[in-house]
Amino acid sequence: MSLNRIIESAEKQYKQILEEYFVSVYNERSLPSHGIDHHRRVWNNSKELLKIIPEKNKKQLSILTTELIIASYLHDIGMSVDPGIKHGKYSKDLCARFLAMNNLRVNDYFNLLEAIENHDNKEYIVNATRNDLLTVLSVSDDLDAFGFIGIYRY
């Protein structure tokens, strides 16, 4: 299966339920700069970055893509609880709730939850355990923050 098909499959399976979940939890009036449009742009950035990451087998690429769409849509959802530096932890907890609601075993998503919790750690230090998901999510988030739209939305 090609990367485009893997992305299409992930979107077909998760995009609508992620957007519905996000809207049900997040009050855009509290912080409009991190509303649903920000998360859509992060997902679009992520899809582009998937094309240039080191080659993976189809199963690894499928798992990474699935986790990346979830991370893209839920990485800042914790700002609905705390817009400060702890929002990553709250986002992780709300993501775990999303996984449970959709009959996905939380224990199978360690990299996803780690990436969401730590996506704002912008030191980009190479860790002993490399997490491509965290790297792609952080860069995709930065691309939105530091691009024209990001500068305008802040």
Side-chain angles (χ1 to χ4, degrees), residues 52-69:
I52 61 171
I53 64 169
E55 190 65 32
K56 300 199 173 304
N57 68 43
K58 297 300 180 196
K59 182 178 180 186
Q60 290 172 318
L61 191 56
S62 181
I63 292 167
L64 177 60
T65 304
T66 295
E67 290 181 336
L68 193 53
I69 191 172

Side-chain angles (χ1 to χ4, degrees), residues 18-79:
L18 282 163
E19 290 196 6
E20 288 172 359
Y21 179 70
F22 182 90
V23 169
S24 75
V25 171
Y26 196 87
N27 179 356
E28 283 197 45
R29 288 173 295 187
S30 62
L31 196 58
S33 64
H34 287 78
I36 191 71
D37 289 334
H38 163 65
H39 294 82
R40 288 174 180 146
R41 288 190 302 272
V42 170
W43 170 236
N44 286 329
N45 292 338
S46 296
K47 291 189 290 188
E48 292 302 312
L49 291 174
L50 276 171
K51 297 174 185 175
I52 61 171
I53 64 169
E55 190 65 32
K56 300 199 173 304
N57 68 43
K58 297 300 180 196
K59 182 178 180 186
Q60 290 172 318
L61 191 56
S62 181
I63 292 167
L64 177 60
T65 304
T66 295
E67 290 181 336
L68 193 53
I69 191 172
I70 296 169
S72 294
Y73 274 95
L74 301 183
H75 71 279
D76 282 334
I77 196 168
M79 287 190 173

